[in-house]
């Protein structure tokens, strides 16, 4: 805990900006099962928000609701509002494909397309959305890989298969793929949980650099990681009906050093979870 407090003390506060994600009374179901209940919070533009809490408390479900990925599951449904830059993305007239273009996602395990080269993986999202001009692809690939901190490692391997890279490189390739379509928001669901410490450090450095360009929401079970990379932290846990609820949300320094709810303190200090 002392090391974590030092990390938090040393963090430089980012400039306070307006919220570009406002969640109001969000509920999500898988068939008859209520997975998250009545979640309301605001996430600030170009800041990093960490979601922490025990396994099964709805963190991954919550971020999948932020870009309408949740509804791709059979029997899944959502009520409440997710307002992005003033627009409720669950309004009937809103195209979910457009939502996912604006709000990119990186999953727990690296998932480059196995039959594609590094080059083609980097621009796969652009091609799927019909957003590319062939003569500009080289520039897009280089920029995306540069932003993902991968260009210097793969610039001579662009024709190699994406799955030939190391696990950490594959995850950064997936981040590059998400960044190539120029999202405003990036969702990251435990992006380093399958990686070794060196690869994890690369991902954390990348998150810190990207926060100047995009809003980032990251799910993590690693308390030290949340303390190192995030500006704000939300703590989730299950209620008696096993639905995920938001217990506490605030500045990361406050959540880790002076939580207002005893359940948050118990989780952070390892007394449960």
């Amino acid at each position: 805990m002392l090391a974590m407090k030092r990390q938090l003390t040393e963090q430089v506060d980012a400039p306070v900006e307006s919220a570009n994600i406002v969640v109001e009374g969000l509920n999500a179901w898988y068939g008859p099962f209520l997975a998250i209940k009545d979640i309301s919070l605001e996430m600030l533009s170009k800041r990093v928000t960490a979601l922490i809490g025990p396994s099964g408390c709805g963190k991954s479900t919550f971020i999948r609701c932020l870009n309408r990925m949740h509804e791709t599951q059979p029997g899944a449904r959502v009520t409440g509002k997710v307002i992005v830059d003033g627009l409720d993305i669950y309004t009937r007239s809103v195209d979910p494909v457009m939502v996912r273009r604006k709000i990119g996602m990186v999953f727990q395990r690296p998932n480059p397309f196995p039959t594609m080269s590094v080059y083609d993986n980097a621009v796969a999202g652009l091609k799927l959305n019909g957003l590319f001009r062939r003569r500009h692809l080289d520039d897009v690939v280089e920029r995306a890989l540069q932003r993902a901190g991968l260009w210097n490692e793969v610039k001579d391997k662009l024709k190699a298969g994406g799955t030939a890279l190391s696990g950490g490189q594959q995850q950064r390739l997936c981040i590059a793929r998400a960044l190539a379509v120029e999202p405003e928001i990036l969702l990251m669901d435990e992006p380093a949980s399958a990686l070794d410490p060196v690869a994890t450090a690369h991902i954390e450095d990348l998150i810190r650099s990207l926060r100047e360009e995009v809003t980032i929401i990251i799910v993590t079970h690693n308390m030290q990681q949340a303390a190192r990379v995030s500006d704000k932290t939300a703590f989730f846990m299950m209620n008696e009906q096993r639905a995920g609820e938001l217990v506490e949300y605030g500045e990361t320094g406050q959540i880790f050093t002076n939580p207002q709810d005893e359940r948050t303190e118990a989780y952070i200090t390892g007394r449960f979870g």
Side-chain angles (χ1 to χ4, degrees):
M1 284 297 292
L2 289 176
M4 186 180 295
K5 288 183 179 181
R6 283 197 296 271
Q7 291 162 2
L8 294 166
T9 301
E10 292 167 359
Q11 286 179 349
V12 177
D13 289 337
V16 176
E17 300 185 40
S18 60
N20 69 339
I21 306 175
V22 179
V23 178
E24 298 179 354
L26 185 68
N27 300 276
W29 286 263
Y30 294 96
F33 172 67
L34 178 62
I36 55 173
K37 180 180 179 182
D38 199 25
I39 308 294
S40 296
L41 74 165
E42 297 183 0
M43 286 164 280
L44 300 181
S45 177
K46 297 183 180 178
R47 302 286 292 273
V48 180
T49 299
L51 310 181
I52 63 172
S55 296
C57 68
K59 305 181 300 296
S60 293
T61 296
F62 175 74
I63 66 166
R64 289 174 67 89
C65 291
L66 299 182
N67 71 343
R68 296 188 59 171
M69 285 289 291
H70 176 69
E71 67 191 48
T72 63
Q73 299 292 313
R77 63 188 179 93
V78 168
T79 62
K81 294 181 178 181
V82 176
I83 301 168
V84 179
D85 292 334
L87 176 66
D88 183 0
I89 65 171
Y90 282 94
T91 301
R92 185 167 298 181
S93 60
V94 173
D95 181 357
V97 174
M98 297 297 293
V99 170
R100 293 169 200 144
R101 186 181 300 169
K102 183 173 184 174
I103 306 174
M105 191 162 188
V106 177
F107 297 94
Q108 182 174 358
R109 294 190 175 276
N111 60 343
F113 297 116
T115 60
M116 291 187 183
S117 65
V118 170
Y119 185 105
D120 288 333
N121 262 283
V123 291
L126 280 177
K127 290 183 175 181
L128 286 171
N129 286 284
L131 297 175
F132 71 99
R133 294 181 180 178
R134 190 165 299 278
R135 66 180 180 275
H136 294 156
L137 279 186
D138 290 352
D139 292 338
V140 171
V141 168
E142 181 173 350
R143 172 170 164 74
L145 293 172
Q146 288 275 17
R147 293 174 75 194
L150 190 58
W151 173 251
N152 289 335
E153 297 169 44
V154 302
K155 62 184 179 182
D156 298 321
K157 306 175 184 177
L158 296 179
K159 294 183 179 180
T163 54
L165 303 178
S166 70
Q169 289 174 326
Q170 287 184 36
Q171 189 67 301
R172 282 182 284 152
L173 178 58
C174 294
I175 293 171
R177 185 173 66 200
L179 293 173
V181 298
E182 300 290 342
E184 295 179 18
I185 299 161
L186 188 60
L187 310 176
M188 308 181 88
D189 191 359
E190 297 190 65
S193 66
L195 305 180
D196 62 40
V198 173
T200 295
H202 279 303
I203 296 296
E204 291 183 7
D205 288 342
L206 178 57
I207 290 170
R208 282 187 284 264
S209 65
L210 288 175
R211 63 184 283 203
E212 300 176 4
E213 305 174 42
V214 296
T215 302
I216 298 175
I217 298 115
I218 177 173
V219 171
T220 180
H221 282 287
N222 186 324
M223 298 298 97
Q224 295 281 350
Q225 183 174 81
R228 286 191 295 263
V229 304
S230 70
D231 301 291
K232 302 196 79 169
T233 296
F235 171 57
F236 286 66
M237 67 177 294
M238 286 182 288
N239 63 17
E240 294 179 355
Q241 290 74 44
R242 303 191 64 79
E245 292 186 329
L246 177 64
V247 173
E248 187 168 354
Y249 177 55
E251 296 293 327
T252 294
Q254 176 261 307
I255 293 291
F256 280 95
T257 62
N258 186 32
Q260 303 302 298
D261 192 293
E262 61 184 16
R263 294 169 294 176
T264 310
E265 182 176 9
Y267 180 73
I268 288 171
T269 56
R271 296 204 295 274
F272 83 89

